[in-house]
Amino acid sequence: YGTRVWVRRWSIGPLETPPQACIDEIEVLQTLSHPNLVGFVGGRAEMGQAYVITKFLENGPFDHFLKYPKGDGTNPLKRIEMLLDVAYGMAFLHGKGIVHRHLSTSILLIDGHGKLRLTDFGQSSKACIPVDCYMAPELMSVPESATTASDVFAFGVCLWEAACGVKPMRSHPEISSGYMPRLSCDASMLPDFVELINLCCHKNPAQRPAFSTIVTELEAIRDTAKSRSTFHFALGRNKTIRDPTIASLPRTLVFLDMASNIRLTDAYIIDLPPKLVPLDLGMCQILSDTAIASMPPTLMHLDLSSATRLTDAAIPAMPRGLTFLSLRDNTNLTEACLLNLPIGLLTLNILNAAKIPDSCLPKFPKMLTDFHMPCAWMPSFNDETVKLLPAGLTTLHFSTNTTLTATGISQ
């Protein structure tokens, strides 16, 4: 008495037989016990009745934890340890010859001690799987071919989601081709973690590691993260994040994505981890000139797209070691800002900076290799103007241009 449980009930009529998913789940849960599987209490699968009772896991699903991080949810090391919980549970299932077939962050539940437990075993003896972003490419054409390797692929997507904070968007053609979106700024992440994601999501099932190997790799990554305390961390597109959350982040983070966090104010800038290298503040429109001076001097990659309150005065206060700078949609910037750009810039995006004329091209940093030019330049950008571009450019982004000819492109 007094024990909280979770009841999963299937709605069936009094003379209907129970669905196979209920029968499968009871069969799996009553024969298995592991610290990273949901605890089985009871269940019934007979005519007119279909339900499963498991222990109550009070902290909810992992996908909600990633989408709305709070407390130690903002600690990337905690995420690695939770992913290890999943790997332990999956290694146990595969050791018993069981394919889960339905692995995703929404069926990983968090217990009262912050440990992840696997649930939803109703698909584990069936020959089908939902079509979603966790699906391995081989299952698109042959859904009944789910194997331990397709479970590994789904786990790789969970790793990707834990690193980026959002689910990867994959269309059906992309799933069939084995496409996975590129991890943003993955050079700043632990390289072994990136490599593990790539291996788990390999298009060829034979190239994916077994969960016994994944456990070993994740334990090593955890130990490295403990010693270095550096990791890619994404809070992007999380509309619940407010200023006090930033002060709780690990002080030794090297990468931070906070794009589209519309509730943040300039006050949080002073609480940013001091060793950041890349920082994504795209769509954080509240950012102003005065906040720029408080940014970590270690920054090399800074995305200020749509920070529409910025003016020319913000540019001299930017970290001087920047090699990547996006000022896209900053419509207040004028020609004067070019005089104070960091001289070592390699990538510059000033798309929609309408007040900067193309006559300013000679004033751009000479080291530029990647340049997104303003849309306002497109009608007048011609064979003569192209001669003013930095000589070392390897990538030039422009469109809707009708005056540039093959002669100009050859230059």
Side-chain angles (χ1 to χ4, degrees), residues 145-187:
S145 66
T147 63
T148 55
S150 55
D151 276 352
V152 169
F153 188 97
F155 181 70
V157 179
C158 293
L159 294 175
W160 192 101
E161 187 176 345
C164 297
V166 293
K167 299 180 188 296
M169 302 301 294
R170 303 169 67 221
S171 65
H172 285 194
E174 289 172 338
I175 293 173
S176 296
S177 68
Y179 167 79
M180 280 292 293
R182 186 169 180 262
L183 284 164
S184 59
C185 216
D186 54 12

Side-chain angles (χ1 to χ4, degrees), residues 183-236:
L183 284 164
S184 59
C185 216
D186 54 12
S188 66
M189 299 171 63
L190 292 175
D192 291 343
F193 189 83
V194 177
E195 180 62 21
L196 182 59
I197 294 174
N198 292 337
L199 286 173
C200 289
C201 294
H202 201 287
K203 183 178 180 179
N204 184 352
Q207 297 298 316
R208 300 172 200 155
F211 266 102
S212 56
T213 302
I214 291 172
V215 165
T216 301
E217 292 295 324
L218 268 180
E219 287 176 338
I221 291 168
R222 175 202 59 194
D223 295 342
T224 300
K226 281 182 177 179
S227 63
R228 289 174 50 189
S229 298
T230 57
F231 200 65
H232 168 109
F233 195 45
L235 293 174

Side-chain angles (χ1 to χ4, degrees), residues 230 251-255 272-278 296-299:
T230 57
R251 308 314 296 160
T252 48
L253 279 179
V254 295
F255 176 90
L272 286 172
K275 298 181 180 180
L276 288 177
V277 177
T298 52
L299 284 177

Side-chain angles (χ1 to χ4, degrees), residues 248-304:
S248 69
L249 293 173
R251 308 314 296 160
T252 48
L253 279 179
V254 295
F255 176 90
L256 185 58
D257 175 0
M258 298 198 301
S260 303
N261 282 284
I262 58 176
R263 296 183 182 273
L264 292 173
T265 73
D266 284 0
Y268 75 88
I269 294 292
I270 62 173
D271 293 320
L272 286 172
K275 298 181 180 180
L276 288 177
V277 177
L279 176 61
D280 187 347
L281 297 175
M283 303 299 292
C284 294
Q285 298 188 23
I286 199 166
L287 199 68
S288 65
D289 293 351
T290 54
I292 300 297
S294 299
M295 288 188 169
T298 52
L299 284 177
M300 297 178 66
H301 177 121
L302 181 59
D303 189 339
L304 296 172

Side-chain angles (χ1 to χ4, degrees), residues 315-328:
I315 308 302
M318 289 181 176
R320 295 293 92 187
L322 287 177
T323 59
F324 175 103
L325 179 61
S326 178
L327 297 170
R328 175 174 176 161

Side-chain angles (χ1 to χ4, degrees), residues 60-73:
F62 191 40
D63 61 346
H64 189 273
F65 175 90
L66 295 174
K67 188 174 182 180
Y68 305 106
K70 56 184 178 180
D72 63 358

Side-chain angles (χ1 to χ4, degrees), residues 6 8 10 21-22 24-25 28 61-63 86 90 93-94 98-109 117-136 139 143 145-158 161 167 211:
W6 183 68
R8 183 181 183 187
W10 286 260
C22 177
D24 293 341
E25 188 144 4
V28 170
F62 191 40
D63 61 346
V86 184
M90 290 301 299
L93 288 179
H94 285 188
I98 296 173
V99 177
H100 190 285
R101 288 185 168 86
H102 203 217
L103 184 59
S104 71
T105 55
S106 62
I107 62 94
L108 302 173
L109 300 185
R117 292 176 180 250
L118 287 156
T119 68
D120 197 3
F121 298 96
Q123 304 285 340
S124 58
S125 63
K126 297 177 69 178
C128 63
I129 182 171
V131 176
D132 59 17
C133 67
Y134 300 90
M135 195 174 193
L139 300 184
S145 66
T147 63
T148 55
S150 55
D151 276 352
V152 169
F153 188 97
F155 181 70
V157 179
C158 293
E161 187 176 345
K167 299 180 188 296
F211 266 102

